Amino acid sequence: MQNKYPQKPGLDFILKQAFFYWNKTLIFQLMFSIIYFGIVMTVIFFCDAKYGVVGEYIETAKYATKGAQVYTAELQKLLATDNFQNFSMWLIGTIIFLYPLNLGFYQIYRKIDLGEKLELGDLLVGYNGLNFFKYVGYFIFWYVIFAYSIQTIILGIVWVFITVFVAPIMFFMNKTIFESISLNFKALKMYFVEILVCVVVAIIFKYIGFMLFFIGGLFTFPFWNAMIYSLYKIIFSEKN
């Protein structure tokens, strides 16, 4: 981590840098979203054909007109069914499988910094050899804690912040999960305001494409990775 900056780079620089990476890789953003949502929707389609959960949920949603209490009771019944549990496991497993796709952007952004030629295969670097098991293992660990902590909302948000740099630290520095969390925590103490603002901007921009222009969401959905890399470059030094 860079501990001796004469002056912290301003938020405007970090944000401009993130948008620069995003703008330079729009075709990769689109390919990421097509692959991601294509696989997710395919799994949902086939699982719904087997378990019929989507139809059951639509029927359950009709109870919303009878009040929150009635709707919540009916929803809880649906969530407790074996069909819904099986459907959820397939969906969660798919999301876990797709996580390494994010690592490809770190490879792409680093290549931009080095002036190297970008290739579509860079997007799949997270699936190369042992990388797949390394990052899938991390995401399973992350997801299990997040699934429980998000029930309190506050703890879920805290967990996101103390793990925001874990993936790039593991990718570039070859650190373990817990070493990466330790470095992330130190960065959070030193750059809390910068990280907070950038995370909020990243989340808003990530989904704004779907809210304003649905197709635009295919380009903005992976923006989070550009923001994380921009912050990572400012905060960390891989020489240490």
Side-chain angles (χ1 to χ4, degrees), residues 14-235:
I14 298 172
L15 293 172
K16 285 178 181 177
Q17 188 172 239
F19 279 100
F20 165 79
Y21 288 122
W22 173 75
N23 187 56
K24 289 278 287 185
T25 57
L26 288 179
I27 185 62
F28 291 96
Q29 314 287 330
L30 179 61
M31 289 303 301
F32 174 96
S33 295
I34 290 174
I35 294 171
Y36 190 95
F37 289 112
I39 293 176
V40 168
M41 293 307 296
T42 299
V43 170
I44 290 175
F45 175 80
F46 282 106
C47 285
D48 184 54
K50 183 175 183 179
Y51 302 115
V53 171
V54 175
E56 290 181 29
Y57 178 77
I58 293 174
E59 289 299 316
T60 301
K62 295 178 181 179
Y63 286 96
T65 59
K66 299 183 180 181
Q69 222 172 5
V70 175
Y71 170 69
T72 301
E74 292 299 320
L75 182 60
Q76 289 301 319
K77 291 179 184 178
L78 174 61
L79 298 182
T81 63
D82 289 338
N83 280 346
F84 186 86
Q85 295 295 324
N86 290 329
F87 180 89
S88 298
M89 290 302 295
W90 272 99
L91 191 56
I92 292 171
T94 302
I95 292 172
I96 290 171
F97 172 78
L98 290 170
Y99 176 74
L101 203 58
N102 291 279
L103 278 298
F105 281 110
Y106 301 137
Q107 169 94 342
I108 290 168
Y109 300 144
R110 177 55 57 86
K111 276 193 166 186
I112 290 175
D113 290 341
L114 298 175
E116 297 178 1
K117 182 181 178 181
L118 303 182
E119 300 175 357
L120 188 58
D122 293 330
L123 197 57
L124 303 176
V125 70
Y127 294 91
N128 292 344
L130 294 177
N131 279 352
F132 174 75
F133 300 100
K134 178 180 178 180
Y135 299 118
V136 162
Y138 160 65
F139 190 68
I140 291 173
F141 166 76
W142 183 91
Y143 185 83
V144 168
I145 295 179
F146 178 76
Y148 284 100
S149 61
I150 196 59
Q151 296 177 36
T152 65
I153 299 179
I154 297 298
L155 289 179
I157 294 173
V158 170
W159 179 239
V160 169
F161 274 92
I162 64 176
T163 57
V164 70
F165 296 115
V166 170
I169 292 173
M170 290 175 65
F171 185 74
F172 291 118
M173 300 185 189
N174 198 30
K175 299 290 187 181
T176 65
I177 293 174
F178 294 107
E179 287 174 334
S180 300
I181 291 175
S182 176
L183 288 172
N184 193 133
F185 187 73
K186 292 176 182 177
L188 195 59
K189 290 192 295 184
M190 292 174 58
Y191 293 85
F192 178 75
V193 173
E194 289 85 351
I195 294 171
L196 174 63
V197 173
C198 289
V199 166
V200 171
V201 171
I203 292 174
I204 292 174
F205 191 76
K206 179 182 176 77
Y207 295 105
I208 199 170
F210 290 111
M211 292 186 288
L212 299 180
F213 309 100
F214 183 78
I215 193 68
L218 298 178
F219 292 96
T220 61
F221 183 70
F223 176 73
W224 170 269
N225 297 298
M227 186 67 80
I228 298 304
Y229 182 75
S230 181
L231 278 165
Y232 171 83
K233 276 185 58 180
I234 295 300
I235 297 173

